[in-house]
Amino acid sequence: MKYHQLIKSIIALALLGAGSTIFTGCEGPPDMGNSSAALADDVASQVYVPPGEYDEFYAFMSGGFSGQVSVYGLPSGRMLKVIPVFSLDAEKGYGFNEETKPLLETAHGFIPWDDAHHPELSQTDGETDGRWLFINGNNTPRIARIDLTTFETAEIIEIPNSGGNHSSPFTTENTEYVVAGTRFGVPYPQQDVSIDSYAEKFKGTLSFISVDPEEGHMDVAFQVLLPAFNYDLAHSGKGKSHGWTFFTTYNTEEKSTLLEVNASQNDKDFIAAINWKKAEEYIKQGKYREMPAKYAHNTYNEKTHTATSEMKDKVKVLIPEECPGLVYFLPTPKSPHGVDVDPSGEYIVGNGKLSADMAVHSFTKIQEAIAKESFETTIDGVPVLKYEEILAGIVEKPGLGPLHTEFDGQGNAYTTYFISSEIVKWDIETQQVLDRIPTYYSVGHLMIPGGDSRKPDGKYMVALNKITKDRYLPTGPELNHSAQLYDISGDKMKLLLDFPTIGEPHYAQAIAADKVMPNSKKFYPIEENEHPYRTVREKDARVEREGKDVHIYMTSIRSHFAPDNIEGIKVGDRVYFHLTNLEQDWDVPHGLAVLGAQNAELLVMPGQTETLVWEPKAEGVYPFYCTDFCSALHQEMQGYLRVSPANSQVALDWRLGYDEPVQ
Amino acid sequence: MLLGIVSLMSLFVFPMWQIILYAPQYPDGVEMHIYIDKIGGSSPGTLQNVNILNHYVGMQYIEPDDIAELQYFPYIIGAMGLLGLIALAINKKWSYLAWTIVLVVLGILGMYDFYLWEYDYGHNLSDTAPIKIPGASFQPPLIGRKQIINFVADSWPHIGGIGFGLSMLFGGAAWWARKKQLST
């Protein structure tokens, strides 16, 4: 019985414990501050852009794993456009039509996708100038240039001897260069070796891509060959530090497996500081090695409306041992992610993501240490400076998991904390924390218009978050990433707006609308069209056969195609629809879709020519039509194409309208 | 008098007339410019855009090469310039008066001709027009503003047309000045 009583008293105790927990301990989830109650009263008016009026800023957000760039207006958070860059876009025929396919060529052949991380606006005198937007392709290392007069991808260059182009493109002060760095150490040159030979055979390259000041054309000017650390992010110096570019590293342990543990052992990793002006001198002196490489350089010509792809086969490489003064390592705690240079160019913030404190380096002190050659050690010819000697100060325990910092031009820095899901504002000179505000949830990059330039526009700040969870109406397991807009014009940061974004916006950049808007083109002048298959007058519309290739020189104008009845196509032919849009008015594209075409539509801007290739598989009469609602008679904008058997005698024939003589 | 000739010559540089069509989806307006020898607009595509609009209701295609006036207008204006110089050389009351009267008559004839063209474009519609609106007239105003279905149409002289007007005034002024000169 005693045993039975013991059981009873245990049960009674358990009940008592549970009861007391209910009464004293269980208060429900605590208030995490993520309700709209945290908003000030007047925020709606701050983000309200009345119908017919324009936003103050263009914001360019990377699409992350969508491979594209999305354009938003700020402060409204309205999406203006998605610009296809590294991924196919059936909506615009990008990568599907013959003209844009070459843009996606690489040393590995045609690649329909990439992971686009960091948009970077071109700069003049350290200020965003609204000419071009650059963005890196992370997976198959590339950099793209987008022309901001057309908002179209104008050029893509591949980065050789590289794996994972993450620390890119991050321009210099006058867009002399955009940069690239390899996230993965790779065998150099690429070869079949044991992964265990990582420390000996693998290398890391940092690349400087020159940008032509007039046309914007890119070229891999040189690469710097470094140990196989993982190069994470970068920023170029400005003002007094103009001429230098800084790259963060992790995995200075040089491991290849279970990196979350093995690459997190060193107390300090490095920021690699490259003196690119020195590099230019070495290149001039011929102190480079020309190494074999294979990489594609693709350019889109706005006159021919066609991209071409060229394969390059060598690259200039600088070796630190042979080029003293080219590279220095700045010890920085611990696995620093972003490296951000303040508007004056003096402070270099190493966002040590696994560190409790945040180190701020002084460019002046770095120069002093270099001058007196005060080095801790040397790694593969690269002097390592002494941490204490180059430190401007430490932001003490500001938050958990610092990733990125931007600036407002008023002496303040704003740093994102992924783990504690917040943005912390601090004073650059004193490193004192001034304010903090939550993000929803787990912010990665942040963006202030011009926030990484010499002249930030410190009015708004956008948090680009990695986790969305319950912020919007649920849409199943997959959720768009969330972004928050804050007012940073006062002492306290203020949440204004929250909106979903496309793909995974890693980074974004924004620019005052008046720097871009006046240059935005409305259409392409038809008389400047130099496409080899253009048809600039409707009466020149025709069909030509060259063996099994059939070229349809087709025009579109509201509201018909010329020709719109075509006969004499045979099974086994390769049919090229070269559609020229004869319109010369803003916002009158015409589309073209053909039944059964294993392809996307064409979407042809006024004055442009695009080509859809179709290989009919079976005889019949195939309809085609305009896909973009162009006019009151859009629905009538349609036609037929007759496909006959391969051995048929049906003559090639075309027409537009019954009154017109055939041919 | 020289001012009169100079303002007349402005017709060789600037359009004489402008017709502007406004609708909500044309925020910049469709601004057609009529020169003495061609038809242009605020954008190189203006004439094409006007023709695209016109074709919905079956208006004729405006083809500058088929408009005879645009061929001989420059000669008339050039001749008037020469006659003006001659009038200046003669420097008589009657020479200025005659030049001015010819100019006024030409102006009236020109406006009448313009009206006929407008009437023809506005009323002579194709039988196969996709959109037929019973009772609607598509004739633009001779001068002033008029609602044409969903468009507001403005029709005003452009710089060249104003120059033409001024040349008549200057011609008249020359006659008057000469008259005063002679009477004193």
Side-chain angles (χ1 to χ4, degrees), chain B residues 1-7 85 88 170 174:
Chain B
M1 184 60 199
L2 205 57
L3 282 173
I5 300 168
V6 170
S7 26
L85 287 175
L88 196 62
F170 286 132

Side-chain angles (χ1 to χ4, degrees), chain A residues 523-542:
Chain A
F523 55 84
Y524 301 98
I526 188 86
E527 65 275 10
E528 292 175 12
N529 185 325
E530 292 170 13
H531 192 291
Y533 291 97
R534 68 189 177 274
T535 314
V536 299
R537 287 171 305 185
E538 188 170 289
K539 62 180 180 182
D540 295 335
R542 63 195 184 277

Side-chain angles (χ1 to χ4, degrees), chain B residues 51-137:
Chain B
N51 279 326
I52 287 169
L53 286 172
N54 290 355
H55 97 286
Y56 295 120
V57 292
M59 290 169 73
Q60 295 162 73
Y61 197 86
I62 302 174
E63 180 54 76
D65 290 348
D66 295 346
I67 299 176
E69 283 86 336
L70 298 180
Q71 315 298 325
Y72 62 72
F73 265 2
Y75 296 106
I76 294 181
I77 301 300
M80 281 310 292
L82 277 179
L83 286 176
L85 287 175
I86 293 167
L88 196 62
I90 297 170
N91 197 18
K92 291 266 166 58
K93 256 191 328 180
W94 67 264
S95 68
Y96 293 131
L97 187 61
W99 187 77
T100 307
I101 289 171
V102 172
L103 210 56
V104 170
V105 170
L106 278 177
I108 292 168
L109 283 177
M111 287 303 283
Y112 180 64
D113 184 56
F114 181 49
Y115 174 81
L116 289 182
W117 274 106
E118 285 192 336
Y119 185 89
D120 186 44
Y121 277 113
H123 290 83
N124 188 6
L125 304 178
S126 165
D127 291 340
T128 58
I131 301 174
K132 290 185 175 122
I133 304 173
S137 155

